[in-house]
Amino acid sequence: MKLFLSWSGQRARMTAEALRSWLPDVLQHVDPWLSSQDISAGGRGTQEIATKLSEANFGIICTTPENQSSSWLNFEAGAVSNQVGGYVVPFLIGMRVAELTSPLSQFQAVLGDDEAEVLKFLVDLNSASGSPAIPRDRLDRAFLRSWPEFESRMHDIHALHSRSGSSDAVERSEADMTEETLLIVRSLDHRLAELERSVLQTGGTPPRQTREVRRISEERFIASSFSKLGWEIVRSSWEGARVVIVAQSTGDSSMPISREFAERIAKSLGRDVVVRGEAGKVIVRGNLP
C-alpha cells in the first residue's frame, strides 16, 4: 500500500512525521512517503513529489485550521483521489469535522486525537490494502500496544504549538508553485496515458483519447496556477498556438496577474497566452520568445 502524507506548516509536518514512523508499527504492509523525510540530499523535490503522487493508493492529508485552505494541500488531495482506486482521508489536528471546509470536506475525515476514530481509520486502511491486509485481531493488538506512544507525540505537538503560537502558513514563491503544479499534472497525465496503453494492449477501449487527457491536464494546471493568486478561471480556449484564458478575481486578497506570471504559463504550456477579464478586456499577454 503506497501511502502519501500531505502537510503544510510546522504542526502538520510534525504530525505527518509521527504518522510516518507509527503507521508501519500497526500495519507492516503500509509504505508511507513524506517529503520532509524521504527526499534524499541533492534530490529534485518537485519531481519526487510528482512521482510519489502518481504512485499513491492512499493519501493522508494532515489538516489544521490554518492550512485547510492551502492550495497545495487541496491539489495533492485531488491528485490522489483521481488515481484508480485512490483514497483520501483528512487527518484533523486541533479542529473538528464541522470546521472542515470544501473541497476537503467532501472526504471522510478522522479526528487525530480520537483513539476510536483513528482505530476505525486503520481498519478501513487495512481493508483497502487487499491481499496484504492483516487479520483484525492482530491489528487490534498492534494498535493497543502502540497507541499510547502516538497519542503522547500528538499531545507534545499540541503543547509545542500552544506555547509557540506559531503559524502553520507556508510561504512559497509563485515560480516554485507554478513549476510544481505543472510537474505534478504532467506526471499524472503520463500515468493515465500508461493505463490507457495497457487497456489497448488487452483489447479494451481507453476511457479517454490522449489529446483529451492532455487538454484536461492543461486546464487543471491553468486553474491551479491562477488560484494561487486568488483568481478563478471562467473558461479557457485553445486557438491554434494560443490559449485564451478568461479569469475573474475572487476577492480583495487576489494578487495582480503579472506579465512574468503569464510568460511562465506560456512557457510551461508551449503556447502563447492571453488573459482576459470577464468583460473581454485583455489583462496581460504572455508571448513565447
Side-chain angles (χ1 to χ4, degrees), residues 65-86:
E66 297 85 2
N67 78 4
Q68 65 170 315
S69 60
S70 162
S71 297
W72 291 106
L73 220 60
N74 289 304
F75 184 85
E76 289 175 345
V80 175
S81 68
N82 286 334
Q83 299 293 349
V84 176

Side-chain angles (χ1 to χ4, degrees), residues 263-281:
E263 287 176 346
R264 279 200 298 271
I265 298 295
K267 184 177 180 180
S268 297
L269 295 175
R271 305 170 186 268
D272 290 339
V273 167
V274 177
V275 182
R276 297 180 180 273
E278 278 196 284
K281 182 180 178 181

Side-chain angles (χ1 to χ4, degrees), residues 53-57 79-86 186-210 213 220:
L53 271 173
S54 69
E55 296 174 347
N57 310 108
V80 175
S81 68
N82 286 334
Q83 299 293 349
V84 176
R186 284 181 174 170
S187 179
L188 297 175
D189 186 4
H190 178 68
R191 180 176 171 86
L192 183 53
E194 287 182 334
L195 290 173
E196 290 187 351
R197 281 195 295 272
S198 177
V199 170
L200 284 172
Q201 290 172 359
T202 58
T205 302
R208 293 189 180 99
Q209 296 298 319
T210 303
V213 171
R220 287 176 177 171

Side-chain angles (χ1 to χ4, degrees), residues 34-49:
L34 174 63
S35 60
S36 67
Q37 295 287 314
D38 295 318
I39 295 178
S40 58
R44 295 198 63 185
T46 297
Q47 291 184 346
E48 290 195 45
I49 290 172

Side-chain angles (χ1 to χ4, degrees), residues 78-111:
V80 175
S81 68
N82 286 334
Q83 299 293 349
V84 176
Y87 297 85
V88 171
V89 173
F91 194 85
L92 306 187
I93 310 153
M95 61 185 297
R96 304 287 100 182
V97 174
E99 299 172 307
L100 196 61
T101 58
S102 182
L104 290 180
S105 58
Q106 67 181 291
F107 304 111
Q108 187 68 38
V110 173
L111 297 177

